[in-house]
Amino acid sequence: MPAAFTHPGAGMNPQAAPPSTTVAIDESTAGLARITGIGTAIPATAYTQQELLDEFQITDPRVRSVFLNSAIDRRGLVLPPRLPDGSRGAESQGDLLRKHTTQGISMGTEAIAACLKDAGATLADVRYLCCVTTTGFLTPGFSALLIRELGIDRHCSRLDVVGMGCNAGLNGLTAVATWAQAHPGQLAVLACIEACSAAYVFDGTMRTSVVNSLFGDGAAAVALRSCETSRDGGPRLLKFSSCIVPDALGAMRYDWDDAVGRFSFYLDPEVPYVVGAHAEIALDRLLTGTGLRRSDIRHWVVHSGGKKVIDSVRLNLTLSRDDLRHTTGVLRDHGNMSSGSFLFSLERLRDEGRVNPGEHGVLMTMGPGSTIEMALARW
């Protein structure tokens, strides 16, 4: 059932929100948390959009158009098992939840290992582990399962962030950065783990087809420390901000669908416009009190939410296509991997070698709530 929308600005009164923390952009930020390592992981199997149309024998021209005009070339996915006739079998809700756990542990393990290697750290250094996921439900959560799987110290502090969707990576990063800042020198790790193929429903409707054409599996992890004085390395996280649009609460959701007897994603067609209409409000809120102007932001690390979402953000923030080159690149190569997508873009920005010490960047995610999360970073 479509979400009830009013005007995108209705219900949003930024003046009524509590004031954000003002951050002085000087040497006093040396104690803030800094990202010291990044690692990513995808499944062993990936498919083009045409291959997926062929796999599921999709002939509906409307559905085919959605797949083929998504700006996605290829996505990592774990598809249902093949039946003797070569077709793909149906997965029960139990099968999907087991896939979420199995694939999540596999990708999470790989992403954390790559992140620690990049940070020059080991599993023995990890003192805090935050795991983020939305594409399945499990108790105990990924943090406990990965601590056992990886052999991390049993006294490692931990947090599981579940059910916050594509914006959850920045929600988790807020908690991890705060912990790292409160524990100088100790290593904290954030792992965003999304087996989106464990959340698929195949019923031939446009509702599920839009979702099935967009999401891919992937995991990403970052390591953080505070109290390092070097100007080299990854960015320090200066400030976070959040903007919720309560009138669009149901526009993006993953909940139980009685019609199909399982959990199902829903994306309202108005999502790109709701996100775009509030992006400027969220950015102004983030920069308030920093002394920075929009023109001072050199780097943009934006969630790969989908072609229309990216276009809407770009137009509303008057960004160039080059500003969002990594966002569109990640969408093209992996699809929307929910909470960890923006970290894939951050990894590409790091690997590109175009960032100079002292430059500022904005990390941005959007998701259910509907919300826009942002972080201000300085390299």
Coordinates of all heavy atoms in Angstrom, one line a residue, residues 91-102 137 198 256 261-263:
E91 N 12.4 -20.3 -2.4 CA 13.0 -20.3 -1.0 C 12.0 -20.0 0.0 O 11.3 -18.9 -0.2 CB 14.2 -19.4 -1.0 CG 15.4 -19.8 -1.9 CD 16.4 -18.7 -2.0 OE1 16.1 -17.6 -2.5 OE2 17.6 -18.9 -1.5
S92 N 11.9 -20.7 1.1 CA 11.0 -20.4 2.1 C 11.6 -19.2 3.0 O 12.7 -18.9 2.8 CB 10.8 -21.6 3.0 OG 12.0 -21.9 3.7
Q93 N 10.8 -18.7 3.8 CA 11.3 -17.6 4.7 C 12.4 -18.2 5.6 O 13.4 -17.5 5.8 CB 10.2 -17.1 5.6 CG 10.7 -15.9 6.4 CD 11.1 -14.7 5.6 OE1 10.3 -14.1 4.9 NE2 12.4 -14.3 5.7
G94 N 12.3 -19.4 6.0 CA 13.4 -20.0 6.7 C 14.7 -20.2 5.9 O 15.8 -19.9 6.4
D95 N 14.5 -20.6 4.6 CA 15.7 -20.6 3.7 C 16.4 -19.3 3.6 O 17.6 -19.2 3.6 CB 15.3 -21.1 2.3 CG 14.8 -22.5 2.3 OD1 15.2 -23.3 3.2 OD2 14.0 -22.8 1.4
L96 N 15.6 -18.2 3.5 CA 16.1 -16.9 3.3 C 16.9 -16.4 4.6 O 17.9 -15.8 4.5 CB 15.0 -15.9 3.0 CG 14.3 -16.2 1.6 CD1 13.1 -15.2 1.4 CD2 15.3 -16.0 0.4
L97 N 16.3 -16.7 5.7 CA 17.0 -16.3 7.0 C 18.3 -17.0 7.2 O 19.3 -16.5 7.6 CB 16.0 -16.5 8.2 CG 14.8 -15.6 8.3 CD1 13.9 -16.0 9.4 CD2 15.3 -14.2 8.5
R98 N 18.3 -18.3 6.8 CA 19.5 -19.1 6.9 C 20.6 -18.6 5.9 O 21.8 -18.5 6.2 CB 19.3 -20.6 6.7 CG 18.6 -21.3 7.9 CD 18.5 -22.8 7.6 NE 17.4 -23.1 6.7 CZ 16.1 -23.2 7.1 NH1 15.8 -23.1 8.3 NH2 15.2 -23.5 6.2
K99 N 20.1 -18.2 4.7 CA 21.0 -17.6 3.7 C 21.6 -16.3 4.3 O 22.8 -16.0 4.1 CB 20.3 -17.3 2.4 CG 21.3 -16.7 1.4 CD 20.8 -16.6 -0.1 CE 19.4 -16.5 -0.4 NZ 19.1 -16.4 -1.8
H100 N 20.8 -15.5 4.9 CA 21.2 -14.2 5.4 C 22.3 -14.5 6.5 O 23.4 -13.8 6.4 CB 20.0 -13.5 6.1 CG 20.4 -12.3 6.9 ND1 20.5 -12.3 8.3 CD2 20.8 -11.0 6.5 CE1 20.9 -11.0 8.6 NE2 21.0 -10.3 7.6
T101 N 22.2 -15.4 7.3 CA 23.2 -15.7 8.3 C 24.5 -16.2 7.7 O 25.6 -15.7 8.0 CB 22.6 -16.7 9.4 OG1 21.4 -16.2 9.9 CG2 23.6 -17.0 10.5
T102 N 24.3 -17.2 6.9 CA 25.5 -17.9 6.3 C 26.3 -16.9 5.4 O 27.5 -16.8 5.5 CB 25.1 -19.1 5.4 OG1 24.3 -20.0 6.2 CG2 26.3 -19.8 4.8
F137 N 16.8 -11.2 10.1 CA 16.8 -11.1 11.5 C 17.4 -12.3 12.2 O 17.1 -13.4 11.8 CB 15.3 -11.0 12.0 CG 15.2 -10.9 13.5 CD1 15.4 -9.6 14.1 CD2 14.8 -11.9 14.3 CE1 15.3 -9.5 15.5 CE2 14.7 -11.8 15.6 CZ 15.0 -10.6 16.3
A198 N 18.7 -12.4 0.3 CA 17.9 -13.1 1.3 C 16.7 -12.4 1.7 O 15.9 -12.8 2.6 CB 18.8 -13.3 2.6
W256 N 6.6 -7.5 7.1 CA 5.9 -8.7 6.7 C 4.8 -8.4 5.7 O 4.0 -7.5 6.0 CB 5.3 -9.4 8.0 CG 4.7 -10.7 7.7 CD1 3.4 -11.0 7.5 CD2 5.5 -11.9 7.5 NE1 3.3 -12.4 7.3 CE2 4.5 -13.0 7.3 CE3 6.8 -12.3 7.6 CZ2 4.9 -14.3 7.0 CZ3 7.2 -13.6 7.3 CH2 6.2 -14.6 7.1
G261 N 3.4 -14.1 2.4 CA 3.8 -14.9 3.6 C 5.3 -14.8 3.9 O 5.9 -15.8 4.3
R262 N 5.8 -13.6 3.7 CA 7.2 -13.4 4.0 C 7.5 -11.9 4.1 O 6.7 -11.1 3.8 CB 8.2 -14.1 3.0 CG 8.1 -13.5 1.6 CD 8.9 -14.3 0.7 NE 8.6 -15.7 0.6 CZ 9.3 -16.7 0.0 NH1 10.4 -16.3 -0.7 NH2 8.9 -17.9 0.0
F263 N 8.8 -11.6 4.6 CA 9.2 -10.2 4.7 C 9.4 -9.7 3.2 O 9.8 -10.5 2.3 CB 10.5 -10.1 5.5 CG 10.3 -10.3 6.9 CD1 10.6 -11.5 7.6 CD2 9.7 -9.3 7.7 CE1 10.4 -11.7 8.9 CE2 9.6 -9.4 9.1 CZ 9.9 -10.6 9.7

